[in-house]
Amino acid sequence: MQGFISALLRTTIRLQVKPVLGPPFPIPAQRTLLRLSSSLMRPPRGSEIAPISMSGVPAERVRCGHSDDGAILYLHGGAYVAGGPDTHRSITGRLARLARAEVFAPDYRLAPEHPFPAALDDAVGAYRWLLNEGYTPGQIAIAGDSAG
């Protein structure tokens, strides 16, 4: 039953949400719609989500069960104008569980308030923070969806 519900939600998002992410819809409406739709999908049971700062970039550290020594830097989608770690918790929680790794999801700055290269600068800062925390480049995977 859970698989059916997940498939239904993915189809609903693909058909009803994605078409309004972008012009001509106003950015505040896009942000609201993404937050509402993401509230329907939860991270897996046992997910631990903690707010952190990655070199001044607000972020979430996501764990789910045992973590090996790897890290995933997850860059959320949303056309660089919408979304955040909170709207992608169902994805980051599943990644943490399946990869047995900690997932780090920076809340990079969004346009138009923060034009290019703000999001890129935040992503690079988050990666450098992981290196400063002791992760080697070989222990870090970079993942994302859409814009991320």
Side-chain angles (χ1 to χ4, degrees), residues 4-72:
F4 171 75
I5 292 171
S6 293
L8 181 62
L9 286 172
R10 282 192 306 272
T11 301
T12 300
I13 288 170
R14 187 179 76 247
L15 296 175
Q16 294 183 350
V17 176
K18 284 193 174 191
V20 298
L21 287 179
F25 295 95
I27 290 172
Q30 293 177 46
R31 291 175 178 170
T32 299
L33 183 60
L34 185 57
R35 293 213 185 286
L36 288 173
S37 65
S38 67
S39 69
L40 300 173
M41 299 188 297
R42 304 271 186 236
R45 285 193 179 129
S47 296
E48 299 173 26
I49 301 166
I52 62 170
S53 176
M54 300 176 80
S55 297
V57 178
E60 288 185 349
R61 177 193 332 247
V62 183
R63 297 177 178 150
C64 190
H66 174 75
S67 294
D68 292 334
D69 61 353
I72 298 172

Coordinates of all heavy atoms in Angstrom, one line a residue, residues 4-72:
F4 N 2.1 2.1 -3.4 CA 1.0 2.7 -4.2 C 0.8 4.2 -3.9 O 0.7 5.1 -4.8 CB -0.3 2.0 -4.0 CG -1.5 2.7 -4.7 CD1 -1.7 2.6 -6.0 CD2 -2.4 3.4 -3.9 CE1 -2.7 3.3 -6.6 CE2 -3.5 4.1 -4.5 CZ -3.6 4.0 -5.9
I5 N 0.8 4.5 -2.6 CA 0.7 5.9 -2.2 C 1.9 6.8 -2.7 O 1.7 7.9 -3.2 CB 0.5 6.0 -0.6 CG1 -0.8 5.4 -0.2 CG2 0.6 7.5 -0.2 CD1 -1.0 5.2 1.2
S6 N 3.1 6.2 -2.6 CA 4.3 7.0 -3.0 C 4.2 7.2 -4.5 O 4.5 8.3 -5.0 CB 5.5 6.2 -2.7 OG 5.7 6.1 -1.3
A7 N 3.7 6.2 -5.3 CA 3.6 6.3 -6.7 C 2.5 7.4 -7.1 O 2.7 8.2 -8.0 CB 3.3 5.0 -7.4
L8 N 1.5 7.4 -6.3 CA 0.4 8.4 -6.6 C 0.9 9.8 -6.3 O 0.6 10.7 -7.1 CB -0.8 8.0 -5.7 CG -2.0 8.9 -5.8 CD1 -2.6 8.9 -7.2 CD2 -3.1 8.5 -4.8
L9 N 1.6 10.0 -5.2 CA 2.1 11.3 -4.9 C 3.1 11.7 -5.9 O 3.1 12.9 -6.3 CB 2.8 11.3 -3.5 CG 1.8 11.2 -2.3 CD1 2.6 11.0 -1.0 CD2 1.0 12.5 -2.2
R10 N 4.0 10.9 -6.4 CA 5.0 11.2 -7.4 C 4.3 11.7 -8.7 O 4.7 12.6 -9.3 CB 6.0 10.1 -7.7 CG 7.0 9.9 -6.6 CD 8.1 9.0 -7.1 NE 7.6 7.7 -7.5 CZ 7.4 6.6 -6.7 NH1 7.7 6.7 -5.5 NH2 7.0 5.5 -7.2
T11 N 3.3 10.9 -9.1 CA 2.5 11.3 -10.3 C 1.8 12.6 -10.1 O 1.8 13.4 -11.0 CB 1.5 10.1 -10.6 OG1 2.2 8.9 -10.8 CG2 0.7 10.5 -11.8
T12 N 1.2 12.8 -8.9 CA 0.5 14.1 -8.7 C 1.5 15.2 -8.8 O 1.2 16.3 -9.4 CB -0.1 14.0 -7.3 OG1 -1.1 13.0 -7.2 CG2 -0.9 15.3 -7.0
I13 N 2.7 15.1 -8.2 CA 3.6 16.2 -8.2 C 4.1 16.4 -9.6 O 4.2 17.6 -10.1 CB 4.8 15.9 -7.3 CG1 4.4 16.0 -5.8 CG2 6.0 16.8 -7.6 CD1 5.4 15.5 -4.8
R14 N 4.4 15.3 -10.4 CA 4.8 15.5 -11.8 C 3.8 16.2 -12.6 O 4.1 17.1 -13.4 CB 5.1 14.1 -12.4 CG 5.8 14.3 -13.8 CD 6.2 12.9 -14.4 NE 5.0 12.3 -14.9 CZ 4.4 11.1 -14.4 NH1 5.0 10.5 -13.4 NH2 3.3 10.7 -14.9
L15 N 2.5 15.9 -12.4 CA 1.4 16.5 -13.3 C 0.9 17.8 -12.8 O 0.5 18.6 -13.6 CB 0.3 15.5 -13.4 CG 0.6 14.1 -14.1 CD1 -0.6 13.2 -14.0 CD2 1.1 14.4 -15.5
Q16 N 0.9 18.0 -11.5 CA 0.3 19.2 -11.0 C 1.3 20.3 -10.4 O 1.0 21.5 -10.4 CB -0.7 18.9 -9.9 CG -1.9 18.1 -10.5 CD -3.0 17.8 -9.4 OE1 -2.7 18.0 -8.2 NE2 -4.1 17.3 -9.8
V17 N 2.4 19.8 -9.9 CA 3.3 20.8 -9.3 C 4.4 21.3 -10.3 O 4.6 22.5 -10.4 CB 4.0 20.2 -8.0 CG1 5.0 21.1 -7.4 CG2 2.9 19.8 -7.0
K18 N 5.1 20.3 -10.9 CA 6.1 20.7 -11.8 C 5.7 21.7 -12.9 O 6.5 22.6 -13.2 CB 6.8 19.5 -12.4 CG 7.7 18.8 -11.5 CD 8.6 17.8 -12.1 CE 9.5 17.2 -11.1 NZ 10.6 16.4 -11.7
P19 N 4.5 21.6 -13.5 CA 4.1 22.6 -14.5 C 4.0 24.0 -14.0 O 4.1 25.0 -14.8 CB 2.7 22.1 -15.0 CG 2.7 20.6 -14.7 CD 3.5 20.5 -13.4
V20 N 3.8 24.2 -12.7 CA 3.8 25.6 -12.2 C 5.1 26.1 -11.5 O 5.1 27.2 -11.0 CB 2.6 25.8 -11.2 CG1 1.3 25.5 -11.8 CG2 2.8 24.9 -9.9
L21 N 6.1 25.3 -11.6 CA 7.4 25.7 -11.1 C 8.1 26.4 -12.3 O 8.8 25.8 -13.1 CB 8.2 24.6 -10.6 CG 7.8 24.0 -9.2 CD1 8.7 22.8 -8.8 CD2 7.8 25.1 -8.2
G22 N 8.0 27.7 -12.4 CA 8.6 28.5 -13.4 C 7.6 29.5 -13.9 O 6.4 29.6 -13.5
P23 N 8.1 30.3 -14.9 CA 7.2 31.4 -15.4 C 6.0 30.7 -16.1 O 6.1 29.6 -16.5 CB 8.1 32.0 -16.5 CG 9.5 31.7 -16.1 CD 9.4 30.3 -15.4
P24 N 4.8 31.3 -16.0 CA 4.5 32.7 -15.6 C 4.1 32.8 -14.2 O 3.6 33.9 -13.8 CB 3.4 33.0 -16.6 CG 2.6 31.8 -16.7 CD 3.7 30.7 -16.7
F25 N 4.2 31.7 -13.4 CA 3.7 31.8 -12.0 C 4.6 32.6 -11.1 O 5.9 32.4 -11.2 CB 3.5 30.4 -11.5 CG 2.4 29.6 -12.2 CD1 2.8 28.8 -13.2 CD2 1.1 29.7 -11.9 CE1 1.8 28.1 -13.9 CE2 0.1 29.1 -12.5 CZ 0.5 28.2 -13.6
P26 N 4.1 33.4 -10.2 CA 4.9 34.2 -9.4 C 5.8 33.3 -8.4 O 5.3 32.3 -8.0 CB 3.9 35.1 -8.6 CG 2.6 34.9 -9.2 CD 2.7 33.7 -10.1
I27 N 7.0 33.8 -8.1 CA 7.9 33.0 -7.3 C 7.3 32.7 -5.9 O 7.4 31.5 -5.5 CB 9.2 33.7 -7.2 CG1 9.9 33.6 -8.6 CG2 10.1 33.1 -6.1 CD1 11.2 34.4 -8.7
P28 N 6.6 33.6 -5.2 CA 6.0 33.3 -3.9 C 5.0 32.1 -4.1 O 4.9 31.2 -3.2 CB 5.3 34.5 -3.5 CG 6.1 35.6 -4.1 CD 6.5 35.1 -5.5
A29 N 4.2 32.1 -5.2 CA 3.3 31.0 -5.4 C 4.0 29.7 -5.6 O 3.6 28.6 -5.1 CB 2.4 31.3 -6.5
Q30 N 5.1 29.7 -6.3 CA 5.9 28.5 -6.6 C 6.4 28.0 -5.3 O 6.4 26.8 -5.0 CB 7.1 28.8 -7.5 CG 6.6 29.2 -8.9 CD 7.8 29.6 -9.8 OE1 8.8 28.9 -9.8 NE2 7.7 30.7 -10.5
R31 N 7.0 28.8 -4.4 CA 7.5 28.4 -3.1 C 6.4 27.8 -2.3 O 6.7 26.8 -1.6 CB 8.2 29.6 -2.5 CG 9.4 30.1 -3.2 CD 10.0 31.3 -2.6 NE 11.3 31.7 -3.3 CZ 11.9 32.8 -3.1 NH1 11.5 33.7 -2.2 NH2 13.0 33.1 -3.8
T32 N 5.3 28.4 -2.2 CA 4.2 27.9 -1.4 C 3.7 26.5 -1.9 O 3.5 25.6 -1.1 CB 3.0 28.9 -1.4 OG1 3.5 30.1 -0.8 CG2 1.8 28.4 -0.6
L33 N 3.6 26.4 -3.2 CA 3.1 25.1 -3.7 C 4.1 24.0 -3.5 O 3.7 22.9 -3.1 CB 2.9 25.3 -5.2 CG 2.3 24.0 -5.9 CD1 1.0 23.6 -5.3 CD2 2.2 24.3 -7.4
L34 N 5.4 24.3 -3.6 CA 6.4 23.3 -3.3 C 6.4 22.9 -1.9 O 6.5 21.7 -1.5 CB 7.8 23.8 -3.7 CG 8.9 22.8 -3.6 CD1 8.7 21.5 -4.5 CD2 10.2 23.4 -4.1
R35 N 6.3 23.8 -1.0 CA 6.2 23.5 0.5 C 5.0 22.7 0.8 O 5.0 21.7 1.6 CB 6.3 24.7 1.3 CG 7.6 25.5 1.2 CD 8.0 26.1 2.5 NE 9.2 26.9 2.3 CZ 10.4 26.4 2.2 NH1 10.6 25.1 2.2 NH2 11.5 27.2 2.1
L36 N 3.8 23.0 0.2 CA 2.6 22.3 0.5 C 2.7 20.8 -0.1 O 2.3 19.9 0.6 CB 1.4 23.0 -0.1 CG 0.9 24.3 0.6 CD1 -0.1 25.0 -0.3 CD2 0.4 24.0 2.0
S37 N 3.2 20.7 -1.3 CA 3.3 19.4 -1.9 C 4.3 18.5 -1.1 O 4.1 17.3 -0.9 CB 3.6 19.4 -3.3 OG 4.9 20.0 -3.5
S38 N 5.4 19.1 -0.7 CA 6.4 18.3 0.0 C 5.9 17.9 1.4 O 6.4 16.9 1.9 CB 7.7 19.1 0.1 OG 7.6 20.2 1.0
S39 N 5.0 18.6 2.0 CA 4.5 18.2 3.3 C 3.7 16.9 3.2 O 3.5 16.3 4.3 CB 3.6 19.3 3.9 OG 2.4 19.5 3.2
L40 N 3.3 16.5 2.1 CA 2.6 15.2 1.9 C 3.6 14.0 2.0 O 3.1 12.9 2.2 CB 1.9 15.2 0.6 CG 0.8 16.3 0.4 CD1 0.2 16.2 -1.0 CD2 -0.3 16.1 1.4
M41 N 4.9 14.2 1.7 CA 5.8 13.1 1.7 C 6.8 13.3 2.9 O 7.4 14.3 3.1 CB 6.6 13.1 0.4 CG 5.7 13.0 -0.8 SD 6.5 12.7 -2.4 CE 7.4 14.3 -2.6
R42 N 6.9 12.2 3.6 CA 7.7 12.2 4.9 C 9.0 11.4 4.7 O 9.0 10.5 3.9 CB 6.9 11.6 6.0 CG 5.6 12.2 6.3 CD 5.7 13.3 7.2 NE 4.4 13.9 7.6 CZ 4.1 15.1 7.5 NH1 4.9 16.0 7.0 NH2 2.9 15.6 7.8
P43 N 10.0 11.8 5.4 CA 11.2 11.0 5.4 C 10.9 9.6 6.1 O 9.9 9.5 6.8 CB 12.2 11.8 6.2 CG 11.4 12.7 7.1 CD 10.1 12.9 6.3
P44 N 11.8 8.6 5.8 CA 11.5 7.3 6.4 C 11.6 7.4 8.0 O 12.2 8.3 8.5 CB 12.7 6.5 5.9 CG 13.5 7.3 5.0 CD 13.0 8.7 5.0
R45 N 10.9 6.4 8.6 CA 10.9 6.3 10.0 C 12.4 6.1 10.5 O 13.2 5.4 9.8 CB 10.1 5.1 10.5 CG 8.6 5.4 10.5 CD 7.9 4.4 11.2 NE 6.5 4.7 11.1 CZ 5.5 3.9 10.8 NH1 5.8 2.7 10.5 NH2 4.3 4.3 10.7
G46 N 12.7 6.7 11.6 CA 14.1 6.6 12.1 C 15.0 7.7 11.6 O 16.2 7.7 11.9
S47 N 14.5 8.6 10.7 CA 15.4 9.6 10.2 C 15.7 10.6 11.3 O 14.8 11.0 12.1 CB 14.7 10.4 9.0 OG 14.5 9.5 7.9
E48 N 16.9 11.0 11.4 CA 17.3 12.1 12.3 C 17.7 13.3 11.5 O 18.6 13.2 10.7 CB 18.5 11.6 13.2 CG 18.2 10.4 14.0 CD 19.5 9.8 14.7 OE1 20.4 10.6 14.9 OE2 19.5 8.6 14.9
I49 N 17.0 14.4 11.8 CA 17.3 15.6 11.0 C 17.7 16.7 12.0 O 17.0 17.0 13.0 CB 16.0 16.0 10.2 CG1 15.7 14.9 9.3 CG2 16.3 17.4 9.5 CD1 14.3 15.1 8.7
A50 N 18.9 17.3 11.8 CA 19.4 18.3 12.7 C 19.9 19.5 11.9 O 20.5 19.4 10.9 CB 20.6 17.7 13.5
P51 N 19.5 20.7 12.4 CA 20.0 21.9 11.7 C 21.4 22.1 12.0 O 21.9 21.9 13.2 CB 19.1 23.0 12.3 CG 18.6 22.5 13.6 CD 18.6 21.0 13.5
I52 N 22.2 22.5 11.0 CA 23.6 22.8 11.2 C 24.0 24.0 10.4 O 23.2 24.5 9.6 CB 24.5 21.6 10.8 CG1 24.4 21.3 9.3 CG2 24.3 20.4 11.7 CD1 25.4 20.3 8.8
S53 N 25.2 24.5 10.5 CA 25.7 25.6 9.7 C 27.0 25.0 9.0 O 27.9 24.5 9.7 CB 26.1 26.8 10.5 OG 26.7 27.8 9.7
M54 N 27.0 25.2 7.7 CA 28.1 24.7 6.9 C 28.9 25.9 6.4 O 28.5 26.5 5.4 CB 27.7 23.8 5.8 CG 26.9 22.6 6.2 SD 26.3 21.6 4.8 CE 27.8 20.7 4.3
S55 N 29.9 26.4 7.1 CA 30.6 27.6 6.8 C 29.6 28.8 6.6 O 29.7 29.6 5.6 CB 31.4 27.4 5.5 OG 32.4 26.4 5.7
G56 N 28.7 28.9 7.5 CA 27.8 30.0 7.5 C 26.5 29.8 6.6 O 25.6 30.6 6.6
V57 N 26.5 28.7 5.9 CA 25.3 28.3 5.1 C 24.4 27.4 6.0 O 24.8 26.4 6.4 CB 25.7 27.5 3.8 CG1 24.5 27.1 3.1 CG2 26.6 28.4 3.0
P58 N 23.1 27.9 6.2 CA 22.3 27.0 7.0 C 22.0 25.7 6.2 O 22.0 25.7 5.0 CB 20.9 27.8 7.1 CG 21.1 29.0 6.3 CD 22.5 29.1 5.8
A59 N 21.9 24.6 7.0 CA 21.8 23.3 6.3 C 21.1 22.3 7.3 O 20.9 22.6 8.5 CB 23.2 22.8 5.9
E60 N 20.9 21.1 6.8 CA 20.4 20.0 7.6 C 21.3 18.8 7.4 O 21.8 18.5 6.3 CB 19.0 19.6 7.2 CG 17.9 20.6 7.5 CD 16.5 20.1 7.2 OE1 16.3 19.1 6.5 OE2 15.6 20.8 7.7
R61 N 21.6 18.1 8.5 CA 22.3 16.9 8.5 C 21.2 15.8 8.7 O 20.5 15.8 9.7 CB 23.3 16.8 9.6 CG 24.1 15.4 9.7 CD 24.9 15.2 10.9 NE 25.4 16.4 11.6 CZ 26.7 16.7 11.7 NH1 27.6 15.9 11.1 NH2 27.0 17.8 12.3
V62 N 21.2 14.8 7.8 CA 20.2 13.8 7.9 C 20.9 12.5 8.0 O 21.8 12.1 7.3 CB 19.3 13.8 6.6 CG1 18.2 12.7 6.7 CG2 18.7 15.2 6.3
R63 N 20.4 11.7 9.0 CA 20.9 10.3 9.3 C 19.6 9.4 9.3 O 18.6 9.9 9.8 CB 21.6 10.3 10.6 CG 22.9 11.1 10.7 CD 23.5 11.0 12.0 NE 24.7 11.7 12.1 CZ 25.2 12.3 13.2 NH1 24.5 12.2 14.3 NH2 26.3 12.9 13.2
C64 N 19.8 8.2 8.9 CA 18.8 7.2 9.1 C 19.4 5.9 9.3 O 19.8 5.2 8.4 CB 17.9 7.2 7.8 SG 16.4 6.3 8.0
G65 N 19.4 5.4 10.5 CA 20.1 4.2 10.9 C 21.6 4.4 10.9 O 22.1 5.4 11.1
H66 N 22.3 3.3 10.7 CA 23.7 3.3 10.8 C 24.3 4.0 9.6 O 23.9 3.9 8.5 CB 24.3 1.8 10.8 CG 25.7 1.7 10.8 ND1 26.5 2.0 11.8 CD2 26.6 1.4 9.7 CE1 27.8 1.9 11.5 NE2 27.9 1.5 10.2
S67 N 25.3 4.8 9.9 CA 26.0 5.6 8.8 C 27.5 5.0 8.7 O 28.1 4.9 9.8 CB 26.1 7.1 9.1 OG 24.8 7.6 9.0
D68 N 27.9 4.8 7.5 CA 29.3 4.4 7.3 C 30.1 5.7 7.4 O 29.6 6.7 7.9 CB 29.5 3.6 6.0 CG 28.9 2.3 6.1 OD1 28.7 1.7 7.2 OD2 28.5 1.7 5.0
D69 N 31.3 5.8 6.7 CA 32.1 7.0 6.8 C 31.9 7.9 5.7 O 32.7 8.9 5.5 CB 33.6 6.6 7.0 CG 34.1 5.8 5.8 OD1 33.3 5.4 4.9 OD2 35.3 5.5 5.7
G70 N 30.9 7.8 4.9 CA 30.7 8.6 3.7 C 29.7 9.7 4.0 O 29.0 9.7 5.0
A71 N 29.7 10.7 3.1 CA 28.8 11.9 3.2 C 28.3 12.1 1.8 O 28.9 11.9 0.8 CB 29.5 13.1 3.7
I72 N 27.0 12.6 1.8 CA 26.4 13.0 0.5 C 26.0 14.5 0.7 O 25.4 14.9 1.7 CB 25.1 12.2 0.2 CG1 25.5 10.7 0.1 CG2 24.4 12.7 -1.0 CD1 24.3 9.8 -0.1

